[in-house]
Amino acid sequence: MTGSEPLSLDEEYAMQQSWRNDNDKCTFIVLSKDPNTEVKNSDLQDTNRMIGDVNFYLNNTDNPHEAELEVMIAEQQYAGKGVATEVLHLMMQYAVNDIGVDDFVVRIKDTNNASIHIFENKLGFKETERAPVFKEVTLRRSVCDDLKASLNQWTSHANRIKYALE
C-alpha cells in the first residue's frame, strides 16, 4: 500500500525473525481473525491467516525518534474494510508508547489515493513533499498529547499476545 512489496509467508516470517533483535526496524505480520474466537500463540503459525504486514523503520540519523511507516494489506478481500487503519493505529501506539517515537513519516506512490486518504483523513498526517521523479508523496505527523490519547483510545480493545518461536 505504501511502497512495500508482497512477500511469501516464509519470507515475511524470515524478515520478522531477522528484525526481531534489530533496534531500527519493526514488523508485524497482519493475520485475519474471527472476532468471536480467542487468539492463541499457535494461531500465529497458521499460514492461511496472513493478509499483510505493517512496518516501521528508525532510519533518520538527524532524528532517531522518527519512524517511517509502511503498511500492506495484500489480500484483496480485506482491502477497504478498515484493516490498514486499525493495524496502523496499533503500530503507531506501540512505536509511541514502547519505543519512544515522536514523529512519523510515510512515503506513498502519488497514485495510491486510498493510502493517502487513510494517512491524511484517518490519521491526521499532512503532506510535506512531492517527489515527481519518484512519483511519491511524503506525509508527516508529529506525536502530541492528543495523538497519544487518541492512539490509546483507538487501541484499547487490543490485547497483546507474547510472540514465541516454537
Side-chain angles (χ1 to χ4, degrees), residues 50-102:
M50 183 181 155
I51 62 171
D53 64 43
V54 60
N55 312 287
F56 71 76
Y57 310 94
L58 302 170
N59 54 13
N60 183 340
T61 56
D62 293 330
N63 181 359
H65 299 284
E66 178 186 89
E68 182 174 347
L69 291 166
E70 283 186 352
V71 64
M72 179 186 61
I73 304 303
E75 296 296 326
Q76 286 303 305
Q77 71 193 49
Y78 294 95
K81 299 196 182 321
V83 175
T85 302
E86 182 174 7
V87 299
L88 285 162
H89 284 151
L90 292 164
M91 181 60 95
M92 290 172 68
Q93 191 268 354
Y94 174 79
V96 169
N97 292 335
D98 290 56
I99 307 301
V101 167
D102 56 24

Side-chain angles (χ1 to χ4, degrees), residues 134-146:
F134 297 113
K135 298 180 180 172
E136 198 172 69
V137 60
T138 300
L139 302 138
R140 296 181 181 277
R141 173 88 198 251
S142 291
V143 176
C144 62
D145 289 340
D146 287 345

Side-chain angles (χ1 to χ4, degrees), residues 96-157:
V96 169
N97 292 335
D98 290 56
I99 307 301
V101 167
D102 56 24
D103 288 298
F104 290 102
V105 62
V106 293
R107 291 176 179 83
I108 305 170
K109 295 294 180 194
D110 60 10
T111 57
N112 189 339
N113 295 324
S115 197
I116 292 168
H117 173 81
I118 289 170
F119 282 97
E120 286 184 332
N121 298 320
K122 305 282 184 178
L123 300 172
F125 281 62
K126 301 291 182 208
E127 183 179 324
T128 59
E129 183 180 347
R130 282 199 177 252
V133 69
F134 297 113
K135 298 180 180 172
E136 198 172 69
V137 60
T138 300
L139 302 138
R140 296 181 181 277
R141 173 88 198 251
S142 291
V143 176
C144 62
D145 289 340
D146 287 345
L147 178 60
K148 286 180 185 179
S150 293
L151 289 170
N152 289 329
Q153 179 184 359
W154 291 327
T155 60
S156 63
H157 68 283

